[in-house]
Amino acid sequence: MSLFNVCSWWSAQCSDPGEEYDVASLLCARFGLETQEKDYIIVGSQTGQLSIYYPHNRGFDATDLLLETQMEAPIIGLYAGKFSGNVRNENANQLGVLLPNAIIIYNVVAIGGLAEHGAQLRLQVQAEHKFQRVSFGLCQGHFGQVKGREFFCVVHLDGTLTFFEQDGISYECRFPGHRALPAPVAYCERTDSFFRFSATWDLQCFSYQDLSHSLVTKSSYQPTWSQGVGEGIVDMRVVQVKENCSNIMILGERNFISLDDNGKFNFMLKLDYAPKCFTSFVVGYYWEPGARLISAIISDSSKLHLYEEANIIWAAQWPNQSPAPVAIQRSNVQNLAGGIVTLGARGQLEVGYLGADPFQFQVQPLNVEELSFAQAHKELQKLEDEIKEAVDVRDMDALNQQAADQVRLSFTIEQEANDDLDTLLLDMPADVAVKELPSAKGILRCKIKAELAELQLVFQTPNGVRCSQDTLSFVNVPAGTSKEFKLDFYTAELLHIHSTKVEVVASFLSTRGIPRVIQQSANLPLSMFYRICQPQKAAGIKLTYSITSRHVSPKLATFFGEFLEEKSDTHALGLQLLCPGLEKQSEVITVVAAKNSNRFRIQSDNVETFAMILERIVERTLQLDSSAGLIKMDKKKPKRGVLNRCVERLMAAPFLPTQPILHRIDVHHETQQSIRKQTDQLEELWQQFKTLQRQLQEQSESEPKEALTMQIESNYDQLILEGDKLVEIRRDERKQRCDLNCAVALAKWIIHALNLEERVVNVVSSVLSVPIEDWTELSWEESMAPGIDMLHHFGPLTRSKSSSTHGLLDANAGSRDSFDYSRFRRHFATLFDRIVRLASSPVTVNPEKGKEEPSMEEKTAPTQQVDEIGNMQRMLGEKGLPLAPRKRKTNMSSSLEAVEDDEEYDEEDLREDVGYRKEYGATDQKNPHNKKRSEWVNEDFELPTTEELFSDLGIWW
């Protein structure tokens, strides 16, 4: 249907070549200036340029331009009608020009030409109506079904309608509802109704009588009918097709819709292109039985589609319109009846017609060569290989290796901090620049081996740290390209930082559109965040780590090379946290190495100081062992009974600072509650402010407005005050979130090195993820509750198996409307307690029964402070930790057994055995009547898969 072009009959370029034209900038109308008059073409730009054309013959002539003038304001729309009754010629129409703050009614007067000069037009101001609100559009018609006169109403940006009559009477009204967005308004003369598109994508019908009496009676009214359109609209027109019915033609963003004036859908046509503009007209007279409804729609590719009702009857390409026209109308110009007038965004005015000139093209000759099946099979195999390469993700290791070969990254960060950072160039905040904190330099080298369509490099830094270049994007990168980027990492906010790891993520698209992602990481130097100070002899929180690998030297210089020389024999190191740099309190952490053993003691009074130190100790130990070829990370799912492989190199004492961590959680939760209360209060004040504004608009000019104005000003001041409070609370919440990040990271690094089963460590670490996130409707505590609840009731960290209610969730737990923070806090503390007791319990295996033998009762550690760290046995109990790695049995099942709780069950935690039919574990064959639930393993003594577990529980985690 696109074999034909629209034939150009007349064209002109408007005086303003910029993109200053839209759908309301074109008008085709007659003004009754002569007997055999044809349509004039009026164009108005948003820069205020008004032009009137009158085409005479094919091709543009200078005499076709009859008027060109500059208005004092941008032209919003052009309209023609009988807007004034003080005109002698009853057939004459006036020109209405809508400006942002006024509408001017002009009489168009013709001035005859002399000699070879053509005629001209002149505008006489008939009336001018100014209004206070900014205008959006205009709707005209015989309001009230009056004859011989036309009224018009102006639609403002706030949704208000201002009606104007010929005798100077004007009044305003509003559509019902809290919000009335600016949208096209159309008038139907047959039913004397207005059609308006609401903010909820509904087409609503209001009678003129309700709108005109709403201001006088101040009564509420509702739409006569309403229909849901379901999408935004581009334009809307009302066309009377029959004597007893009018059609509402709506051009949506994806559909072409037709309704009758009673709200009944005639058709809804889905478009396979993006429409730009349309027009609808009737061929013939509506009272004749053969009248046809024709619609012309222009797509974004400059194609003209003609529809009769919902059936397409013609399609043609507009060859000279690029980009697509923004306005279209049907017009009867001189010597051309039924011409199609279009206006481009840059002022390209053109009159065309639908001719039969075919599109000039040549049909390509047929390929009559003999088909080679072998060659076709090779091509098909090649295409299948390309498709498989793009979508097959079964071998992720091969895909990752292929991506790493295509884009090779080398990311390093210097381990010496610098003090010569240019704070003005990096736009650093003043409160941070004053402290003159150290920075670090990094280098990223990128070598491209294959041609890429797109490449993006993103640097992910911990909260409070910023990179000089956060994102780098490239397009059409050729093969063999090498790039090097010099980076600066600096402290941008005075927050507690939980990690020194910086990740660079490279995401790229190949020329075939295959996406791949690779990443590399590096660590910032600790000297960016700490400085050396005097070690502390006593502290509130003490942690102990034992280096169990013989390939790692248990010296402080091995882990803290930024502060100590390589051959230093220092046994105590004190570090003071530089950020946030509290004036009243210095945050100091002390690391002490034992003289006669391979143990470290890390102690401090502040939880926030531990995270980066523990990260350095754990990762440096694993890195040194990995370089020696001892760690072979198995990416398969760990089997039951396999102990934590990190214990072979590094082991932590079974202790978790539960109370300091819970304190950070309490503070964070209280701040979240304050934010929600403050937000609700702001919403209430905002509703009051809108109500007062509406009351002020509804008051007449004679009523006093001083009291209402004072209420609005007071409410506005209160809004600003409460908004500042919310900003301050959110600033505090960000600091507390960073503190909580440090506390959770501390727990993760301790659990990472505990003597537990590896699957337990992985599950707990996945639940305790950092950095934490808060959402608008869901806080971190609420998002963590399902995971903590699962760990509390299932798996190796559950309670005693003696109760028949073991392993069942509350049937109503997932449907609770309110979040029980006390329950979450209790489960969180219980989880840490069970982890500590499970890690501190020595285990033995009975090969015949495979059951856990009870261990000896541990003795409590002494509370007195010791000066020598060599005597570490008293800190860890009589059993202590092994000084050298032992040969452990890998088929240990004791760590999967539940830890017995000494306390009794809380009534709130008892679960009823309802709602779950599937049972895991071997049943008692000797006593089938025994309904005691077995432990949470199946017959092969393996944990259930995640899909089996959560499909039976009916919860999402």
Side-chain angles (χ1 to χ4, degrees), residues 26-55:
L26 176 64
L27 174 66
C28 297
R30 301 180 184 181
F31 299 106
L33 302 180
E34 56 186 29
T35 305
Q36 301 296 331
E37 186 182 39
K38 298 300 181 178
D39 289 345
Y40 293 86
I41 302 176
I42 305 97
V43 179
S45 70
Q46 295 175 358
T47 59
Q49 193 76 24
L50 178 65
S51 304
I52 300 179
Y53 298 90
Y54 192 68

Side-chain angles (χ1 to χ4, degrees), residues 471-489:
T471 305
L472 300 171
S473 300
F474 307 94
V475 181
N476 299 328
V477 184
T481 304
S482 298
K483 297 180 180 294
E484 181 176 324
F485 307 99
K486 295 183 179 180
L487 309 169
D488 289 317
F489 298 94

Side-chain angles (χ1 to χ4, degrees), residues 139-159:
C139 178
Q140 67 183 81
H142 301 278
F143 302 163
Q145 296 181 342
V146 298
K147 301 298 182 181
R149 296 186 301 171
E150 281 191 83
F151 301 152
F152 59 90
C153 71
V154 178
V155 184
H156 300 281
L157 285 179
D158 59 353

Side-chain angles (χ1 to χ4, degrees), residues 165-205:
E165 298 182 359
Q166 292 180 356
D167 50 4
I169 299 177
S170 64
Y171 54 89
E172 295 181 354
C173 70
R174 281 181 170 273
F175 289 113
H178 295 288
R179 295 179 181 178
L181 299 181
V185 176
Y187 174 74
C188 178
E189 182 179 355
R190 197 190 74 85
T191 59
D192 195 22
S193 302
F194 288 85
F195 304 111
R196 166 241 187 178
F197 192 72
S198 68
T200 57
W201 290 351
D202 293 333
L203 182 65
Q204 298 176 344
C205 174

Side-chain angles (χ1 to χ4, degrees), residues 659-677:
Q659 293 304 322
I661 297 176
L662 290 177
H663 174 69
R664 269 66 178 180
I665 298 177
D666 292 339
V667 174
H668 179 265
H669 177 67
E670 292 174 0
T671 307
Q672 288 292 323
Q673 296 298 108
S674 302
I675 290 177
R676 292 184 179 181
K677 291 179 181 179

Side-chain angles (χ1 to χ4, degrees), residues 220-510:
S220 60
Y221 59 95
Q222 297 298 325
T224 307
W225 54 262
S226 178
Q227 281 286 2
V229 177
E231 63 175 348
I233 67 172
V234 178
D235 200 359
M236 176 172 58
R237 297 179 185 272
V238 177
V239 181
Q240 188 166 358
V241 183
K242 300 179 182 179
E243 191 172 0
N244 59 349
C245 182
S246 297
N247 284 13
I248 309 167
M249 312 303 295
I250 301 175
L251 181 62
E253 296 174 349
R254 301 177 184 86
N255 298 278
F256 184 47
I257 308 168
S258 174
L259 300 88
D260 60 18
D261 49 17
N262 293 322
K264 180 181 178 181
F265 278 95
N266 294 326
F267 63 83
M268 185 171 184
L269 180 64
K270 183 175 180 59
L271 305 176
D272 57 354
Y273 53 85
K276 295 289 290 185
C277 56
F278 92 112
T279 184
S280 295
F281 52 90
V282 177
V283 177
Y285 297 98
Y286 66 87
W287 57 79
E288 295 178 351
R292 302 168 59 193
L293 175 62
I294 304 297
S295 300
I297 304 177
I298 293 182
S299 67
D300 58 348
S301 59
S302 300
K303 278 189 178 181
L304 175 66
H305 303 78
L306 287 182
Y307 296 88
E308 182 176 357
E309 299 290 342
N311 302 318
I312 187 167
I313 60 176
W314 192 264
Q317 182 73 32
W318 208 294
N320 300 326
Q321 292 282 3
S322 180
V326 296
I328 179 173
Q329 288 199 13
R330 177 177 177 264
S331 175
N332 292 323
V333 297
Q334 191 80 20
N335 299 324
L336 181 64
I340 303 173
V341 183
T342 59
L343 177 65
R346 297 182 179 273
Q348 304 96 337
L349 184 62
E350 188 165 353
V351 180
Y353 62 92
L354 298 179
D357 295 337
F359 181 74
Q360 299 297 327
F361 71 99
Q362 294 181 354
V363 179
Q364 296 293 334
L366 297 177
N367 186 7
V368 294
E369 296 180 1
E370 184 178 357
L371 178 63
S372 174
F373 290 96
Q375 183 67 22
H377 180 70
K378 291 181 180 179
E379 295 178 358
L380 178 62
Q381 189 67 29
K382 182 179 179 181
L383 292 175
E384 289 180 351
D385 293 340
E386 292 181 1
I387 296 173
K388 182 179 179 181
E389 181 185 0
V391 301
D392 189 8
V393 293
R394 288 177 294 180
D395 192 357
M396 290 302 301
D397 293 338
L399 292 179
N400 294 335
Q401 183 61 38
Q402 183 183 10
D405 293 338
Q406 292 177 351
V407 177
R408 296 184 179 180
L409 298 179
S410 176
F411 180 44
T412 57
I413 298 178
E414 296 181 3
Q415 293 304 307
E416 293 183 2
N418 303 312
D419 297 327
D420 56 350
L421 188 66
D422 190 351
T423 58
L424 296 178
L425 182 62
L426 297 175
D427 193 17
M428 186 180 297
D431 56 341
V432 182
V434 169
K435 293 185 176 293
E436 298 181 353
L437 298 175
S439 62
K441 293 185 179 296
I443 297 178
L444 174 64
R445 296 181 177 89
C446 182
K447 190 172 184 180
I448 312 300
K449 292 292 186 178
E451 185 179 357
L452 302 179
E454 295 181 14
L455 173 63
Q456 186 181 53
L457 302 173
V458 179
F459 296 92
Q460 298 179 353
T461 57
N463 293 333
V465 179
R466 192 174 300 169
C467 179
S468 57
Q469 301 184 58
D470 294 337
T471 305
L472 300 171
S473 300
F474 307 94
V475 181
N476 299 328
V477 184
T481 304
S482 298
K483 297 180 180 294
E484 181 176 324
F485 307 99
K486 295 183 179 180
L487 309 169
D488 289 317
F489 298 94
Y490 58 95
T491 304
E493 297 180 78
L494 297 179
L495 302 172
H496 284 115
I497 299 170
H498 71 282
S499 175
T500 60
K501 182 178 292 186
V502 177
E503 291 186 348
V504 53
V505 181
S507 55
F508 56 90
L509 282 176
S510 65

